[in-house]
Amino acid sequence: MASTSSSMAPSLPPCLVFTNNGGDEQATTTLYAVSDGTHRPCEETMAENLGGGNKRRRCWVTSHGWVLVRDTTTLATFLWNPHDDDKIVLPSLAQCPAHAKCVLSAEPAQPGSGRTTTILLTDAVDPVLWYCHVGGPHASEWVRHEYDIGSLRPLVGYTGSLKKIMNRPASCGGKFYYHRSGDEIGVLEFAPGPTFRNVKMKGVQLVPVGDFMAAASPYFVDIQGKLYVAYIFFHNTDYHTVDDVGVFRVDFKKKKTIRVDGIGDRAIIVGSNRSFGGWCPATTFGLLPNSVYWMSQYDNCLHVCDLEQKTEEVRAPCSGAAASPRQPFWLIPTHP
């Protein structure tokens, strides 16, 4: 593996990336800066690595700010920091799922650092994952692994078996976490191969609204070594109406999640078509402190939620952006 770097790109504030993969002449990539609500065209090299205007490239963003990039023709694969153009060359990824999430166990380890970082790709449809260890004594090629974490209740009239998949995985302390059920958190560890276990937890109680049970979208977020869950609570099953937004700290000793009053000068960033969950310093990047920025896949709007004031601002970042056949995805700064 090798690492290269340059000073091509200045540090970027948190952005939503809009891509239009039409014909080569029409293909565009636009960045929407959530700090000031402005759109701007994406620089050519950055657009190429983000998949815009180059159907050979596929990318997966991560909550650490780095992007996994794969050339579908040459199979060249690398981690790329879009904020300073730093690059870590990886073993070629011969296969990958059509719909996947990418999670890093930690900030990427540079070659020769002696520290191992695990790159995890999970299929969003089937119980399959790909992983690669980088930087440390367990450095490896990409490995494909089929897992079994149980089955869903069969649908009425359906005779087959629906296997559970890792739902919105996130990393914290070198381990990977995902929602297995309402009262269980799944844990994936590598030593160096994958092992799964479940932790029983007292889940967040959803309050009934009328004749319906309120629905919610949970997102795991690692905030400086502690695991949190950001919940978007909806009105009944109306996914266009947000009733409440809460942030909960996962307490493994007490086996429950505990709602917190605030998260300080931080902004949690979640949602979009990649089921993204991350955070960044707020004031540094011109964001609202103690807040949650949620890009809804239901109304295609950005919801800015003030946790202290319990207020919500709804923005329409798609307005004025190039027409895009798919929802935008998050690009956030790297930070400690």
Side-chain angles (χ1 to χ4, degrees):
M1 294 178 292
S3 175
T4 61
S5 65
S6 73
S7 57
M8 178 202 69
S11 181
L12 292 169
C15 296
L16 283 163
V17 181
F18 292 84
T19 59
N20 173 12
N21 290 330
D24 290 341
E25 293 183 1
Q26 291 78 33
T28 58
T29 300
T30 304
L31 300 179
Y32 172 82
V34 297
S35 56
D36 58 13
T38 59
H39 291 278
R40 69 179 179 86
C42 193
E43 184 270 341
E44 184 178 355
T45 302
M46 179 178 287
E48 181 180 40
N49 285 336
L50 293 176
N54 186 348
K55 296 181 180 180
R56 287 172 39 196
R57 290 277 172 91
R58 292 195 60 192
C59 77
W60 296 268
V61 293
T62 75
S63 61
H64 285 83
W66 289 70
V67 180
L68 177 65
V69 182
R70 175 180 182 262
D71 189 301
T72 58
T73 302
T74 66
L75 306 185
T77 309
F78 54 92
L79 280 173
W80 170 64
N81 184 341
H83 309 283
D84 61 10
D85 204 33
D86 197 24
K87 182 185 295 185
I88 299 175
V89 178
L90 303 175
S92 297
L93 178 57
Q95 291 180 302
C96 68
H99 305 283
K101 315 296 180 190
C102 183
V103 189
L104 307 181
S105 65
E107 185 73 11
Q110 296 288 347
S113 66
R115 178 174 59 85
T116 300
T117 299
T118 301
I119 307 167
L120 175 68
L121 269 176
T122 60
D123 194 318
V125 178
D126 297 313
V128 181
L129 59 83
W130 284 255
Y131 67 91
C132 174
H133 300 306
V134 182
H138 300 300
S140 69
E141 302 291 320
W142 287 95
V143 178
R144 182 183 185 275
H145 176 79
E146 297 184 21
Y147 60 88
D148 187 349
I149 55 174
S151 300
L152 299 169
R153 291 181 180 179
L155 301 174
V156 176
Y158 183 77
T159 58
S161 174
L162 296 174
K163 291 294 185 180
K164 288 185 176 181
I165 61 171
M166 295 178 65
N167 185 27
R168 293 177 183 157
S171 67
C172 185
K175 302 174 184 178
F176 298 90
Y177 298 89
Y178 58 94
H179 291 273
R180 189 178 185 278
S181 66
D183 60 358
E184 280 185 318
I185 291 178
V187 185
L188 168 62
E189 299 178 68
F190 288 87
T195 60
F196 290 83
R197 61 185 175 91
N198 303 317
V199 179
K200 280 285 186 180
M201 302 288 290
K202 183 179 180 180
V204 174
Q205 298 299 312
L206 300 182
V207 179
V209 181
D211 296 329
F212 297 90
M213 182 65 72
S217 287
Y219 300 88
F220 278 126
V221 182
D222 171 10
I223 300 181
Q224 295 183 316
K226 294 183 179 179
L227 189 64
Y228 291 79
V229 192
Y231 275 90
I232 312 297
F233 297 98
F234 304 104
H235 186 76
N236 294 339
T237 53
D238 176 8
Y239 294 99
H240 291 78
T241 303
V242 177
D243 267 356
D244 188 20
V245 175
V247 178
F248 298 74
R249 177 174 56 85
V250 180
D251 191 322
F252 286 104
K253 290 185 178 180
K254 295 182 179 180
K255 304 294 185 182
K256 64 179 180 179
T257 54
I258 302 170
R259 187 160 185 160
V260 299
D261 294 331
I263 55 174
D265 189 18
R266 302 182 181 94
I268 288 177
I269 299 171
V270 297
S272 83
N273 68 339
R274 308 293 174 93
S275 297
F276 188 89
W279 74 279
C280 74
T283 303
T284 301
F285 293 102
L287 304 186
L288 179 69
N290 196 28
S291 63
V292 174
Y293 285 70
W294 173 59
M295 182 64 198
S296 169
Q297 64 269 45
Y298 305 108
D299 61 13
N300 221 24
C301 289
L302 176 64
H303 298 246
V304 183
C305 307
D306 187 318
L307 295 174
E308 181 179 3
Q309 300 298 325
K310 297 188 181 301
T311 58
E312 176 192 21
E313 176 192 354
V314 181
R315 305 177 187 174
C318 296
S319 177
S324 177
R326 58 183 181 178
Q327 290 183 329
F329 57 89
W330 283 110
L331 195 64
I332 69 171
T334 57
H335 57 83

